[in-house]
Amino acid sequence: MFIDTHAHINFNAFKDDGDETIRRSLAGDTWMILVGTEYKTSRRALEYANKYEKGVYAAVGLHPIHLEEVLAENNDENGNYSFTTKAEEFNYDNYEKLAKFEKVVAIGEIGLDYYHINLGGNIGAIKQKQKDVFLEQLILARNLDLPVIIHCRQAHDDMLAILTDFKNKYKDKIPTGRPWGVMHCFSGDEDLAWKYFSLGLIISFTGLITFSKRWDDLIRKMPPEKFMIETDSPFMTPEPYRGSRNEPLLVKYVAKRISEIRNLTPERVGEITVKNARELFGIV
C-alpha cells in the first residue's frame, strides 16, 4: 500500500477523468490527499474526498501564487507548465468552515513562492503579503489542530525565520513528540532538511528523485520517520513516465527509487511512508 500525500486531481488537468483516475489509484492500493491551492480547488478537493468512504482525503489552503495575478511559466526539472492565476484575498472564516469537515486532514498548500512573483509589481509588498497570509494560515491550522502542507520556492531563509518565530510564539499549540507539518516537494540540501526536522517538520519527495541523484545522500541518511512520498500530480511525473501527466498511482515509482537508495523493498518504503502519513494527517 502507498499514500500519495500530495495530488491535485482537483485541478483542471483532471476535469474529464478525475474520478476515473482516483478509482484507478484506489484499485492499485494507493490512497491520496487532494490538496487545494485556492478556495475553488480546496472546495473541489473536499467534494472529491466526500465521494469515497476511505482512501481519499483533502487539504484546504491558499497558495502564495494565488495572492496576485500571475502568468506562471516553468520548464525546468520541476516540470513544464504555463497558467494564469487570479488574485484571491484570504478569508479566514471561509477556509475555517471548509477545514472543519471530517475529510479535511491538513491546511495546505500554503507557504512562500518568490520564484513566480510578478516582476512588474512591488516585490517587497508582494513578499510581505505572502508572509502575512502564510502566518494567518499557520494560525488557522493550530487553532484547528491540523498539520500544514508547506510550499517553499526560493524563499527558504524567510521560511525558516517565520517558522522559528511561529514555533516560539505558539509553542503551547505546537505538538511535541510528533510532526506538525511537511515541507512538500522537498528540493533542498541535507543541511536544509535538518533545519526543518529541528522545527518539528518532515519532508516529502516527488518524482524529481527518479531522474536526479541530487538527493541520494539525504535519502540514504535521513531517519525513517522523517519522510513521505507524493506525486504533486499532474506535475513532477517520475521516470519512466516523465513527459506525461502524473497521477497518484505513479507514486510507487518514487517509493521504488527510495527503496533502491536505502536498500529496501518498495513494499517496505510503502510501510514506512504510510505510517508517517497516518501519524501526521490522522488517517485511519
Side-chain angles (χ1 to χ4, degrees), residues 81-101:
Y81 56 80
S82 176
F83 58 87
T84 301
T85 67
K86 294 181 180 179
E88 177 185 325
E89 289 295 322
F90 177 68
N91 185 304
Y92 185 102
D93 292 339
N94 287 346
Y95 278 95
E96 182 182 42
K97 289 175 184 176
L98 276 186
K100 286 183 175 180
F101 281 88

Side-chain angles (χ1 to χ4, degrees), residues 25 32 51 84 133-134 195 214 227 232 247 272 278:
S25 177
M32 71 200 72
K51 291 182 180 182
T84 301
V133 173
F134 178 45
K195 288 178 180 177
R214 186 184 309 174
F227 72 95
D232 201 16
E247 63 177 79
I272 291 169
R278 287 187 187 277

Side-chain angles (χ1 to χ4, degrees), residues 22-50:
I22 290 172
R23 288 192 294 267
R24 184 164 55 242
S25 177
L26 296 179
D29 209 17
T30 299
W31 290 12
M32 71 200 72
I33 297 172
L34 304 183
V35 182
T37 55
E38 57 191 318
Y39 187 78
K40 176 177 65 177
T41 54
S42 293
R43 187 180 61 218
R44 192 180 302 149
L46 178 58
E47 289 169 354
Y48 269 122
N50 282 335

Side-chain angles (χ1 to χ4, degrees), residues 31 64 68 92 119 124 134 202 259:
W31 290 12
E68 59 173 332
Y92 185 102
L119 297 180
F134 178 45
I202 62 176
S259 73

Side-chain angles (χ1 to χ4, degrees), residues 119-137:
L119 297 180
N122 183 327
I123 294 177
I126 294 170
K127 288 183 177 181
Q128 188 59 50
K129 187 173 185 179
Q130 287 193 17
K131 294 176 187 178
D132 292 342
V133 173
F134 178 45
L135 180 58
E136 284 190 79
Q137 294 184 92

Side-chain angles (χ1 to χ4, degrees), residues 66-261:
H66 286 289
L67 297 177
E68 59 173 332
E69 188 169 318
V70 174
L71 172 60
E73 295 180 323
N74 192 87
N75 60 357
D76 64 12
E77 62 189 5
N78 291 288
N80 300 316
Y81 56 80
S82 176
F83 58 87
T84 301
T85 67
K86 294 181 180 179
E88 177 185 325
E89 289 295 322
F90 177 68
N91 185 304
Y92 185 102
D93 292 339
N94 287 346
Y95 278 95
E96 182 182 42
K97 289 175 184 176
L98 276 186
K100 286 183 175 180
F101 281 88
E102 183 181 0
K103 283 297 187 76
V104 174
V105 297
I107 300 298
E109 74 190 84
I110 63 176
L112 304 176
D113 190 316
Y114 296 169
Y115 176 83
H116 288 113
I117 282 181
N118 184 349
L119 297 180
N122 183 327
I123 294 177
I126 294 170
K127 288 183 177 181
Q128 188 59 50
K129 187 173 185 179
Q130 287 193 17
K131 294 176 187 178
D132 292 342
V133 173
F134 178 45
L135 180 58
E136 284 190 79
Q137 294 184 92
L138 287 175
I139 293 171
L140 171 62
R142 296 319 320 145
N143 285 341
L144 297 178
D145 194 24
L146 288 172
V148 285
I149 297 174
I150 300 175
H151 168 99
C152 186
R153 194 161 186 194
Q154 294 188 1
H156 286 288
D157 288 344
D158 283 350
M159 175 62 68
L160 288 166
I162 290 171
L163 292 174
T164 300
D165 182 67
F166 182 81
K167 188 178 180 185
N168 290 334
K169 187 175 182 179
Y170 294 91
K171 56 186 175 183
D172 292 340
K173 289 190 174 185
I174 303 294
T176 57
R178 62 182 175 90
W180 58 284
V182 56
M183 300 303 300
H184 119 87
C185 189
F186 186 77
S187 58
D189 59 20
E190 187 175 344
D191 180 63
L192 184 60
W194 280 99
K195 288 178 180 177
Y196 286 123
F197 295 159
S198 70
L199 289 168
L201 303 171
I202 62 176
I203 61 178
S204 184
F205 294 102
T206 66
L208 278 176
I209 65 170
T210 68
F211 50 84
S212 173
K213 295 184 177 181
R214 186 184 309 174
W215 300 279
D216 285 13
D217 284 344
L218 169 60
I219 291 170
R220 191 175 296 111
K221 295 176 183 177
M222 64 184 174
E225 70 275 11
K226 297 296 187 184
F227 72 95
M228 300 186 299
I229 55 176
E230 61 169 288
T231 59
D232 201 16
S233 306
F235 316 113
M236 308 289 183
T237 311
E239 295 288 1
Y241 294 95
R242 194 177 178 194
S244 60
R245 187 189 70 174
N246 202 1
E247 63 177 79
L249 194 58
L250 300 184
V251 79
K252 63 186 176 183
Y253 291 100
V254 182
K256 179 176 180 291
R257 181 60 189 142
I258 293 174
S259 73
E260 293 168 351
I261 296 169

